[in-house]
């Protein structure tokens, strides 16, 4: 006569199976998080977080007696940095859509260095790759990887191997032959510190006696406005804008 199965044995087997599945899921999630953390560019991630946090704090802590000249000054700086993004880095150095003589090149050059961006050469390379391989794995800010990635995530994570591969193939001979652009590459950090931070922050303090605190707080605000305006071109417009180009 066949022995009956003990119900308690079946229950234990089911519990063991469920426990094993839970352990597998947990291990999978842990591996995903480990991979995600290993892909982060920690220094850039921390910098972007701190600037945004500082700007948010500035909104609520800004002294309401701030001089109107300071606000107008930073609106002027925002305009200059917008020219640095658009007319300089994008239209002139990346796409060469117009010619510029030396005096105009200098103006465009200084406009770009108020904007607190990556090196001009890296901007040109990445943007040329973006146009050539738009919304593919070779696109530095591929919108198919989601809104957050195309907005800012691409700056926080290591580049996809395809981005690196195609970036090395991009012709930058025109940029490398440009003495103004290469001067900016050689002295990038010095120029960035002077024209993006020292001049904008110090001018209100020394010219019309604004406080250092107010000037610095407004500076943080104009920084994130500029950054997010540029990033929005990669995220909002590619996620929901028209796409009059071949994929």
């Amino acid at each position: 006569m066949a022995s009956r199965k003990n119900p308690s044995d079946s229950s234990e087997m089911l519990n063991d199976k469920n426990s094993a599945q839970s352990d597998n899921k947990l291990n999978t999630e842990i591996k995903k998080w480990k991979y995600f953390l290993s892909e982060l560019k920690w220094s850039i991630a921390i910098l972007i977080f701190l600037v945004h946090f500082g700007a948010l704090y500035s909104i609520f802590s800004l002294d309401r007696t701030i001089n109107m000249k300071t606000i107008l000054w930073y609106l002027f700086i925002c305009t200059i940095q917008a020219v640095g993004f658009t007319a300089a880095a994008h239209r002139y150095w990346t796409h060469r859509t117009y010619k510029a003589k030396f005096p105009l090149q200098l103006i465009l050059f200084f406009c770009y260095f108020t904007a607190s961006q990556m090196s001009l050469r890296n901007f040109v390379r990445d943007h040329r790759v973006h146009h050539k391989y738009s919304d593919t794995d070779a696109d530095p800010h591929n919108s198919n990887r989601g809104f957050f990635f195309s907005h800012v995530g691409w700056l926080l994570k290591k580049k996809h191997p395809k981005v690196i591969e195609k970036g090395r193939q991009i012709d930058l001979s025109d940029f490398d032959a440009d003495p103004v652009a290469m001067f900016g590459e050689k002295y990038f950090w010095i120029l960035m510190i002077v024209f993006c931070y020292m001049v904008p922050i110090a001018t209100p303090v020394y010219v019309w006696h604004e406080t250092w605190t107010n000037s610095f707080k407004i500076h943080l605000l104009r920084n994130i406005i500029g950054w997010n305006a540029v990033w929005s071109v990669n995220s909002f417009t590619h996620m929901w804008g028209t796409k009059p180009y071949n994929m």
Side-chain angles (χ1 to χ4, degrees), residues 104-155:
L104 178 55
Q105 287 182 34
L106 280 183
I107 293 170
L108 295 172
F109 177 83
F110 290 124
C111 285
Y112 182 75
F113 277 95
T114 66
S116 187
Q117 287 287 308
M118 64 180 70
S119 83
L120 185 54
R121 192 178 192 275
N122 287 349
F123 182 101
V124 171
R125 180 201 61 213
D126 285 356
H127 203 69
R128 287 181 181 179
V129 171
H130 161 66
H131 273 270
K132 192 169 183 179
Y133 304 102
S134 193
D135 295 335
T136 68
D137 285 339
D139 184 349
H141 31 80
N142 178 10
S143 64
N144 291 322
R145 294 179 68 176
F147 175 84
F148 182 81
F149 178 84
S150 61
H151 190 74
V152 65
W154 67 283
L155 292 168

Side-chain angles (χ1 to χ4, degrees), residues 55 71-72 76-77 127 133 193 201 220 229:
I71 295 173
L72 293 174
F76 173 65
I77 293 296
H127 203 69
Y133 304 102
I193 291 168
I201 294 172
L220 289 177

Side-chain angles (χ1 to χ4, degrees), residues 196-216:
C196 181
Y197 297 98
M198 292 176 65
V199 172
I201 294 172
T203 298
V205 175
Y206 287 107
V207 178
W208 54 85
H209 310 296
E210 183 59 84
T211 65
W212 284 103
T213 304
N214 277 345
S215 188
F216 183 70

Side-chain angles (χ1 to χ4, degrees), residues 70-238:
T70 304
I71 295 173
L72 293 174
W73 166 252
Y74 275 105
L75 288 174
F76 173 65
I77 293 296
C78 282
T79 303
I80 288 177
Q81 75 177 18
V83 171
F85 294 139
T86 55
H90 186 216
R91 303 307 297 167
Y92 181 65
W93 272 293
T94 300
H95 297 306
R96 301 289 183 177
T97 53
Y98 62 93
K99 293 180 180 179
K101 292 185 178 179
F102 183 69
L104 178 55
Q105 287 182 34
L106 280 183
I107 293 170
L108 295 172
F109 177 83
F110 290 124
C111 285
Y112 182 75
F113 277 95
T114 66
S116 187
Q117 287 287 308
M118 64 180 70
S119 83
L120 185 54
R121 192 178 192 275
N122 287 349
F123 182 101
V124 171
R125 180 201 61 213
D126 285 356
H127 203 69
R128 287 181 181 179
V129 171
H130 161 66
H131 273 270
K132 192 169 183 179
Y133 304 102
S134 193
D135 295 335
T136 68
D137 285 339
D139 184 349
H141 31 80
N142 178 10
S143 64
N144 291 322
R145 294 179 68 176
F147 175 84
F148 182 81
F149 178 84
S150 61
H151 190 74
V152 65
W154 67 283
L155 292 168
L156 309 179
K157 293 189 69 179
K158 294 175 184 176
K159 290 183 176 180
H160 190 286
K162 281 286 183 184
V163 175
I164 297 171
E165 177 192 339
K166 299 302 181 183
R168 288 172 178 159
Q169 297 170 10
I170 289 292
D171 182 13
L172 294 171
S173 57
D174 61 310
F175 185 93
D176 293 340
D178 187 326
V180 174
M182 291 311 293
F183 178 83
E185 283 302 296
K186 186 175 182 179
Y187 300 103
F188 174 75
W189 287 109
I190 296 173
L191 292 165
M192 174 73 76
I193 291 168
V194 171
F195 293 103
C196 181
Y197 297 98
M198 292 176 65
V199 172
I201 294 172
T203 298
V205 175
Y206 287 107
V207 178
W208 54 85
H209 310 296
E210 183 59 84
T211 65
W212 284 103
T213 304
N214 277 345
S215 188
F216 183 70
K217 286 178 178 179
I218 292 288
H219 178 83
L220 289 177
L221 287 172
R222 77 93 180 179
N223 238 5
I224 64 160
I225 289 169
W227 285 356
N228 283 279
V230 174
W231 299 341
S232 293
V233 176
N234 303 327
S235 55
F236 285 98
T237 56
H238 272 261

